[in-house]
Amino acid sequence: QVQLVESGGGLVQPGGSLRVSCAASGINVSIYTMNWYRQVPGKQRELVATVPIDSRTYYAASVRGRFTISRDNAKNAMYLQMNTLITGDTAVYYCNARRIDGLGQLLEYWGQGTQVTVSS
């Protein structure tokens, strides 16, 4: 059974930092593109950052320069370091793992999400 479990969310003041983690089981993250998404009530889930298997990274414009995505294949985990947080970063953050298998089928898994609240 595949599980992606996020942790590290919480309440932080504007300008502060937070690191969220994603621990995977049942899959080998080294062969997956790993992603962080976020969602606020009433809005679509948006892609925040991506780290493919070659470890090149992609960031949404709204977080570039403030957030850093990383993966640790040995620990089967992924992280999102968030610095200089603003109130607009308040959302539920979701871990996502995605790949295309040898038959061309999409394999995709989601975590349950962790709440990040930026407020004074």
Side-chain angles (χ1 to χ4, degrees), residues 53-68:
I53 58 175
D54 61 5
S55 293
R56 289 180 300 172
T57 55
Y58 161 83
Y59 297 94
S62 58
V63 307
R64 194 173 298 130
R66 301 187 296 120
F67 289 12
T68 303

Side-chain angles (χ1 to χ4, degrees), residues 5 16 21 27 38 61 65 76 112:
V5 179
S21 303
I27 61 169
R38 67 186 181 186
N76 220 31
Q112 83 288 349

Side-chain angles (χ1 to χ4, degrees), residues 2 7 9 12 15 18 33-34 39-40 43 46 55 68 70 91 99 101 105 107-108:
V2 177
S7 61
V12 62
L18 207 60
T33 291
M34 300 298 294
Q39 189 171 25
V40 297
K43 290 191 175 182
E46 66 167 343
S55 293
T68 303
S70 61
R99 76 178 186 100
D101 71 8
Q105 293 183 320
L107 300 178
E108 185 170 36

